[in-house]
Amino acid sequence: MSRWWMVLILSFNVVGSVGWAACSARSGAMTTALVELYTSEGCSSCPPADRQLSQFPDGRFPLDKAVPLALHVPYWDYIGWKDPYAKSVFAERQNWLVQTNRHRTVYTPHFFVSGKAVGNWRNELPDVIRRINAQPAHADIQLRVDKLQPGLLSIGADTSSAMKSESLALYLAVTENRLVSKVSRGENSGTTLHHDHVVREWIGPLALVAGKASVQRDLKLQADWVGNEIGVVGLVQNTLSGEVIQAVAVNRCFKS
C-alpha cells in the first residue's frame, strides 16, 4: 500500500504552546464511521459528490458519528487539468481498498465508509453510517494538536485495541476546509470548485504492537494552507481486510 513512515516519538511538552489552547479529542464507546471520497478536479461527475461530503459534519452526523475525508487522485490529470490537491499515495490507497472489497474498477467519485465501498452514495450513505455507529468500538484513539508557533503544529495520537490482530495500523490525516479552485481546462473548464475535508498530509501506517501505538510529529504548514481551516483525523484500520474500526477528528482548532 503506502510506504512506512519514520516516526519520531517526542514528549508533548518539549516545546510550550504559549498563547494557544490545545485541541484534543477522544473516540467514544461506539464506532465512528470514516467517510472517504476519492475525487478529482478533472472529473465532471465529481462536484456533486464533493458537495455531498461538504455537508459533513451536520446535525445528523457530527464528528463523533462520521469523520469525512476527501482524497484527490491524480490519474485524471492527463485529460487537461492538473488537480492541485492530488497525491499518488491516495490513488494507491484507493486501489488497495478496491482490492480488499474484491472489486475490479477504480473510478471517481468513489465513496468508502469505514473501508467498504458505497456505490449508490446519494441514497445509501446515511443508512451505512448509522449501521456502523450502532457497533461497539474496538479501538480507542486519543488525538491532540498543539500550535507550537505560527505555522508549526505538533500532532500526537495514542491508540489501543483489545482485538487480537497483528494487522491493525494507525493513520493520521491533516485536512483543510473551504478550498476554492477556478478550473480553466479539462472536463470542469470554466467551473469554480469548492472543497472541504481535503487531505493535505497523510501519515502512516504505524503498526499496533501488543494492541498499542503512539505517534507524535511536528508539522510545518505550507504557505498556501489556511491555519484556521486545518483539521486532523486519526483512524485505526485492519491492513488485511481494509476495515476501519475507529476514527476521531479535531476540526478548525486554531486561528491563523
Side-chain angles (χ1 to χ4, degrees):
M1 194 169 56
S2 60
R3 65 181 182 275
W4 290 76
W5 287 75
M6 182 69 71
V7 180
L8 180 62
I9 305 298
L10 300 170
S11 166
F12 276 115
N13 296 318
V14 169
V15 183
S17 54
V18 179
W20 299 94
C23 193
S24 62
R26 183 171 185 172
S27 59
M30 307 303 286
T31 304
T32 298
L34 182 76
V35 182
E36 296 178 68
L37 169 61
Y38 290 85
T39 184
S40 170
E41 289 193 346
C43 155
S44 61
S45 58
C46 285
D50 295 334
R51 290 192 292 270
Q52 178 83 15
L53 193 76
S54 289
Q55 294 178 13
F56 295 97
D58 61 16
R60 295 179 305 162
F61 299 113
L63 277 181
D64 64 340
K65 300 295 184 183
V67 171
L69 292 179
L71 299 105
H72 286 237
V73 294
Y75 50 76
W76 296 124
D77 288 359
Y78 79 95
I79 61 177
W81 177 255
K82 183 177 175 59
D83 190 321
Y85 312 115
K87 295 180 183 292
S88 59
V89 66
F90 303 153
E92 293 170 11
R93 178 172 172 82
Q94 184 188 13
N95 271 286
W96 172 68
L97 286 172
V98 167
Q99 292 171 13
T100 62
N101 278 259
R102 298 186 178 182
H103 294 174
R104 295 183 178 181
T105 306
V106 175
Y107 59 88
T108 56
H110 204 173
F111 273 97
F112 292 83
V113 178
S114 294
K116 298 298 180 183
V118 179
N120 185 8
W121 50 270
R122 288 178 176 85
N123 298 317
E124 295 180 0
L125 276 177
D127 289 339
V128 173
I129 292 169
R130 289 189 185 98
R131 286 199 296 270
I132 291 169
N133 293 162
Q135 301 172 9
H138 294 293
D140 176 72
I141 310 172
Q142 297 181 62
L143 188 62
R144 179 181 174 93
V145 184
D146 289 285
K147 190 166 187 178
L148 303 179
Q149 60 189 52
L152 183 64
L153 301 182
S154 176
I155 302 170
D158 297 284
T159 188
S160 61
S161 174
M163 291 184 68
K164 295 181 179 179
S165 173
E166 297 180 354
S167 303
L168 298 182
L170 171 67
Y171 297 82
L172 298 178
V174 180
T175 65
E176 187 175 359
N177 290 315
R178 298 186 181 180
L179 294 171
V180 179
S181 291
K182 294 182 178 179
V183 181
S184 60
R185 295 183 301 278
E187 290 187 354
N188 289 314
S189 180
T191 304
T192 299
L193 300 177
H194 300 265
H195 308 296
D196 293 295
H197 318 299
V198 176
V199 179
R200 291 293 220 161
E201 188 83 7
W202 185 258
I203 302 169
L206 176 67
L208 272 66
V209 178
K212 296 182 179 181
S214 296
V215 60
Q216 184 157 333
R217 182 174 176 178
D218 293 348
L219 177 71
K220 181 177 176 59
L221 302 184
Q222 300 301 311
D224 60 337
W225 297 7
V226 180
N228 62 335
E229 297 295 344
I230 296 295
V232 179
V233 171
L235 63 108
V236 174
Q237 187 166 32
N238 186 314
T239 58
L240 291 181
S241 69
E243 180 186 9
V244 176
I245 64 171
Q246 189 58 299
V248 69
V250 291
N251 204 13
R252 294 174 177 166
C253 294
F254 306 106
K255 296 180 180 179
S256 297

